[in-house]
Amino acid sequence: MPRPLGELEDAVMTRVWKWNRPVTVREVLEDLQQERTIAYTTVMTVLDNLHQKGWVRREAEGRAYRYEAVSTRAAYAAALMNDAWSQSDNPAAALVAFFGMMSEEQRQALQDAVRIVQGPETRQAPEAAEPWPAQAEQQENPGSAEDAGGR
């Protein structure tokens, strides 16, 4: 499981993920400098650390390197969510609490993702879809998320 990225690591990885191509220290530096004062050597060190941690691969280009993401931001976010969920002593309650924090758009995206994972034979038309258990429970019983954990 990946350890969460630090603030500067995340700022660097955001650019690497967004650009979705091999990048140089100079490119990342110039983009970061639009937001903050930062030295070339700092960005170089962060990219080297990200390489050592397995977040980026690098290929030599002259005396410098080009860095490329090993996985996507989505995969990183999924790994963080999976780790947090697996550390819960009550995974069902944790999911109910998580669903309760979601906006309607996020719940719809989750429903769409579940349909994709389940495959075409279990897909329903959006208007025929049942509400998520967390939504139904919130409508019927506005109690705490912990109440659902023992079910």
Side-chain angles (χ1 to χ4, degrees):
M1 166 52 215
R3 172 180 129 264
L5 296 171
E7 187 264 331
L8 188 52
E9 290 174 326
D10 186 68
V12 169
M13 282 305 300
T14 294
R15 282 141 181 93
V16 175
W17 281 319
K18 180 176 75 173
W19 296 335
N20 196 28
R21 60 171 173 76
V23 299
T24 64
V25 172
R26 177 75 50 204
E27 290 173 307
V28 175
L29 171 73
E30 289 173 358
D31 200 58
L32 283 170
Q33 285 179 330
Q34 295 177 25
E35 299 172 3
R36 64 177 82 196
T37 301
I38 190 165
Y40 180 93
T41 54
T42 301
V43 177
M44 183 174 63
T45 299
V46 169
L47 279 164
D48 185 59
N49 290 343
L50 289 167
H51 175 256
Q52 290 177 25
K53 292 177 181 181
W55 288 105
V56 295
R57 61 176 141 295
R58 66 185 180 192
E59 187 173 317
E61 184 175 281
R63 294 178 52 200
Y65 289 106
R66 284 202 173 265
Y67 295 87
E68 185 174 17
V70 170
S71 65
T72 64
R73 182 180 271 293
Y76 167 68
L80 290 177
M81 289 187 289
N82 185 59
D83 185 55
W85 185 47
S86 68
Q87 291 181 29
S88 173
D89 61 349
N90 190 335
L95 281 175
V96 169
F98 181 62
F99 295 158
M101 294 177 198
M102 293 176 134
S103 68
E104 183 56 39
E105 294 79 23
Q106 290 169 323
R107 280 194 286 272
Q108 185 60 52
L110 181 60
Q111 289 175 334
D112 293 345
V114 169
R115 281 189 210 98
I116 290 167
V117 170
Q118 288 176 336
E121 66 280 354
T122 59
R123 291 188 187 157
Q124 300 176 6
E127 57 275 355
E130 294 290 322
W132 283 92
Q135 289 175 294
E137 179 183 344
Q138 287 174 354
Q139 292 168 355
E140 296 170 11
N141 178 13
S144 74
E146 294 176 14
D147 295 342
R151 293 184 195 160

